[in-house]
Amino acid sequence: IADGGTIFLDEIGELPVSLQVKLLRALDSGEIQPVGAPGPIKCEPRIIAATNKDLEQEVKEGRFREDLFYRLNVITVQLPPLRDRPEDIPLLAQHFLKIYAAKVGKKVTTISPASMEALTTARWVGNVRELENALERAVVLCAGEQVEFDDLPPEIRNSQKSGGDVEVF
């Protein structure tokens, strides 16, 4: 399906070495062998891979194949965790608000200043996925057109009350 297109390999650092061999073979040969197919088929997708691991360290420790690392490491984009980019939170929060309001059929259009303050000061151990889940929950629980502080998950509300020292899960 991804032939001529793009395939995203999330958490590539978690891929067992036995599967790394197969992936490397497919990338090098440009062919894959689907289960039950009579033979190999050509497949040349663009690969985008993501991980939260230091793959160079994983290579040194023998948990990630060096040849696969160099095959994938053409352009590297380092993205700091969300807690280190609080300026991105309002835009992301509005994006998720719009998505989940449409998904659940609610006319929720804004986030209160107190809620936005809580969102921008939370630690976001779970990164963007955690923020997304928090906004989905807030939209579902929201009674009006604005996400209020009490609509946020308790961990975020408690974190705000205690000065942001509570880890959010």
Side-chain angles (χ1 to χ4, degrees):
I1 292 171
D3 186 31
T6 303
I7 188 167
F8 176 60
L9 304 175
D10 196 12
E11 297 299 346
I12 192 73
E14 301 295 332
L15 193 65
V17 175
S18 61
L19 293 178
Q20 291 175 32
V21 172
K22 293 177 182 185
L23 176 59
L24 181 62
R25 188 177 311 122
L27 294 175
D28 285 343
S29 70
E31 293 182 340
I32 59 170
Q33 175 73 43
V35 175
I41 58 171
K42 281 290 198 192
C43 181
E44 295 188 25
R46 176 184 310 110
I47 306 293
I48 297 176
T51 186
N52 63 357
K53 292 188 172 188
D54 178 345
L55 288 185
E56 289 183 79
Q57 187 62 37
E58 294 293 303
V59 167
K60 288 177 187 171
E61 295 176 11
R63 291 188 296 265
F64 200 85
R65 290 182 58 99
E66 185 175 32
D67 45 2
L68 179 58
F69 172 76
Y70 287 115
R71 184 74 163 85
L72 294 173
N73 192 28
V74 177
I75 297 173
T76 300
V77 177
Q78 296 288 336
L79 188 61
L82 186 58
R83 66 185 160 274
D84 294 343
R85 312 178 276 126
E87 67 279 3
D88 291 350
I89 292 172
L91 184 61
L92 287 166
Q94 282 298 141
H95 170 73
F96 293 132
L97 176 76
K98 185 177 179 181
I99 287 173
Y100 289 106
K103 185 175 180 178
V104 300
K106 285 188 161 183
K107 193 174 181 174
V108 183
T109 57
T110 60
I111 300 171
S112 73
S115 298
M116 190 60 77
E117 174 69 18
L119 293 172
T120 56
T121 58
R123 295 208 40 228
W124 301 117
V125 176
N127 256 317
V128 177
R129 286 185 185 113
E130 183 182 7
L131 174 63
E132 180 178 8
N133 290 342
L135 264 296
E136 180 179 15
R137 177 193 192 278
V139 168
V140 168
L141 296 178
C142 185
E145 294 184 8
Q146 177 172 273
V147 170
E148 300 295 344
F149 185 77
D150 287 339
D151 299 323
L152 298 175
E155 298 85 7
I156 294 173
R157 293 192 316 264
N158 294 340
S159 172
Q160 184 68 12
K161 291 174 188 170
S162 67
D165 292 335
V166 175
E167 286 190 2
V168 181
F169 294 98

